[in-house]
Amino acid sequence: MLKSKLLLFFLLLIITACSKEKRSMKASRLMQNFIINIADYARKTNPNFIVIPQNGLELGYVDADTSLGLNQSFLSKIDGFGVEGLFYGEEESPDAYSIAMAKKIGESERILSADYLSDNSLFSNAVSQNQGYGFLCFPRHSTNYDYLEIPSTVIQENPNNITTLASAQNYLYLISTSNYSSKSTYLQAIASTNFDAVIIDLFYEDEPLTANEVQLLKTKANGGSRKVIAYMSIGSAEKYRYYWKKTWGLHRPSWIKRKYDGYPDEFWVKFWHKDWQEIIYGNDESYTHKILTAGFDGVYLDNVEAYYFLYFKN
């Protein structure tokens, strides 16, 4: 009797593991397709539109399984991969697993690394480690966890014209406008820098940037051209965005799936749901269309690791 129970127990474990593996495979494919569809939609308007997912490095591999090798069909649709906390972050030690994934993906795509430095003396070491792998690096000082400051130092500052993401030698990641009292001071602060690429929000407060305003940012202070890329979360819904309705909340609509720990105004979503995807791309009212209208050179897709949450049923 005991042997039968043990056998049943192990069979259930195997079935559960297989079920999770299948859900993981399906989830990763759904997210890969979502990103590909955003890219295809945007490139109908701008064939050179840059697409960079952030985190979820496993998506660069077949079925999100590093043992199956790189997913070349997916990688051919993107221009780079953003990743946070590779060498320095909330964990005490470098993320060796993610570093190995990023190194392999970096053979064909640009890796944009954003480390968080609890000790500002680590700056030089963070730069050295990232550059050793050929990664673009944006080490954030201890006061810049939420990407609200413009660093005084531009790594490998240069006057070159930046025609592709591959030609960039540095980047600015600035998605909070809270340090600026007006849109004009915010735009001037960015315009006066020499970063090769800048990742910013489409909006200043509730107002989207105009095509003229974005165009002004495409020239570095030293005269060289640069790329201006819009931040957009595709794995989470944010209560402060234009699309949010007053009646919405957790499970209202049903595709608003889970609270986002640490961010009270943000929720993980069932990103594969038609209603959510229509908010993001495919029509003139979509987020991506607004980014295109404003003349951005590309998009930085945050929270793509939402595919992990397909495991959860609520």
Side-chain angles (χ1 to χ4, degrees):
M1 185 66 177
L2 179 59
K3 288 184 178 179
S4 297
K5 287 184 177 180
L6 286 173
L7 179 60
L8 179 60
F9 174 73
F10 285 116
L11 283 173
L12 287 173
L13 284 179
I14 293 170
I15 291 170
T16 300
C18 290
S19 177
K20 284 187 175 182
E21 184 177 355
K22 287 180 180 178
R23 291 203 304 273
S24 176
M25 182 188 302
K26 179 181 179 182
S28 65
R29 289 178 181 177
L30 287 171
M31 180 55 82
Q32 288 165 341
N33 288 337
F34 189 19
I35 295 169
I36 289 170
N37 289 341
I38 293 168
D40 288 344
Y41 169 75
R43 287 168 184 158
K44 290 178 182 177
T45 299
N46 177 1
N48 298 315
F49 196 73
I50 295 167
V51 175
I52 309 167
Q54 176 176 259
N55 298 326
L57 284 167
E58 290 91 346
L59 292 173
Y61 293 82
V62 175
D63 292 330
D65 185 340
T66 57
S67 69
L68 298 179
L70 294 174
N71 187 326
Q72 297 294 353
S73 62
F74 173 73
L75 293 176
S76 69
K77 292 290 187 175
I78 65 173
D79 301 272
F81 233 117
V83 59
E84 296 175 294
L86 270 181
F87 297 99
Y88 296 100
E90 296 180 16
E91 301 296 328
E92 294 183 359
S93 58
D95 184 351
Y97 175 65
S98 293
I99 292 170
M101 284 193 291
K103 180 182 178 182
K104 189 67 176 177
I105 293 171
E107 294 174 2
S108 60
E109 310 298 326
R110 206 66 199 264
I111 300 296
L112 284 71
S113 171
D115 283 315
Y116 173 66
L117 311 179
S118 58
D119 183 343
N120 294 343
S121 66
L122 298 171
F123 182 87
S124 295
N125 195 43
V127 172
S128 176
Q129 291 197 71
N130 277 286
Q131 289 182 338
Y133 286 96
F135 302 159
L136 290 185
C137 54
F138 186 74
R140 292 168 287 153
H141 287 304
S142 56
T143 57
N144 196 23
Y145 182 83
D146 291 319
Y147 304 101
L148 48 77
E149 297 176 358
I150 298 178
S152 57
T153 300
V154 179
I155 299 166
Q156 292 189 306
E157 187 172 355
N158 66 85
N160 302 340
N161 290 323
I162 306 304
T163 57
T164 63
L165 183 65
S167 61
Q169 298 180 47
N170 54 70
Y171 74 104
L172 168 66
Y173 196 167
L174 181 74
I175 55 174
S176 173
T177 62
S178 60
N179 279 357
Y180 303 93
S181 59
S182 68
K183 185 198 278 191
S184 61
T185 57
Y186 166 69
L187 294 174
Q188 182 55 43
I190 299 169
S192 63
T193 70
N194 287 321
F195 289 96
D196 289 348
V198 296
I199 299 167
I200 58 174
D201 206 276
L202 166 62
F203 297 88
Y204 179 84
E205 295 183 350
D206 295 328
E207 183 181 355
L209 302 185
T210 68
N212 286 338
E213 289 166 340
V214 173
Q215 186 61 41
L216 289 173
L217 299 180
K218 293 186 179 184
T219 302
K220 295 184 279 189
N222 59 26
S225 64
R226 65 170 156 216
K227 296 301 179 184
V228 182
I229 297 164
Y231 171 95
M232 178 173 66
S233 177
I234 65 169
S236 67
E238 299 155 312
K239 291 176 67 174
Y240 48 86
R241 296 300 183 184
Y242 72 93
Y243 55 72
W244 188 270
K245 295 179 172 53
K246 292 181 180 179
T247 57
W248 287 7
L250 185 61
H251 308 312
R252 306 189 315 273
S254 61
W255 46 263
I256 298 178
K257 189 175 184 182
R258 294 179 62 84
K259 292 181 179 180
Y260 196 135
D261 291 342
Y263 296 87
D265 292 331
E266 196 164 352
F267 298 85
W268 295 104
V269 297
K270 296 179 181 180
F271 61 87
W272 60 91
H273 197 282
K274 179 176 178 290
D275 290 350
W276 174 249
Q277 295 206 356
E278 287 182 350
I279 288 171
I280 297 299
Y281 82 97
N283 60 84
D284 289 353
E285 299 301 318
S286 67
Y287 207 132
T288 303
H289 182 80
K290 294 179 185 297
I291 289 170
L292 289 164
T293 299
F296 281 88
D297 295 306
V299 68
Y300 199 74
L301 305 175
D302 197 14
N303 292 317
V304 302
E305 70 272 27
Y307 77 90
Y308 291 124
F309 292 89
L310 191 63
Y311 290 135
F312 298 95
K313 295 181 180 180
N314 63 311

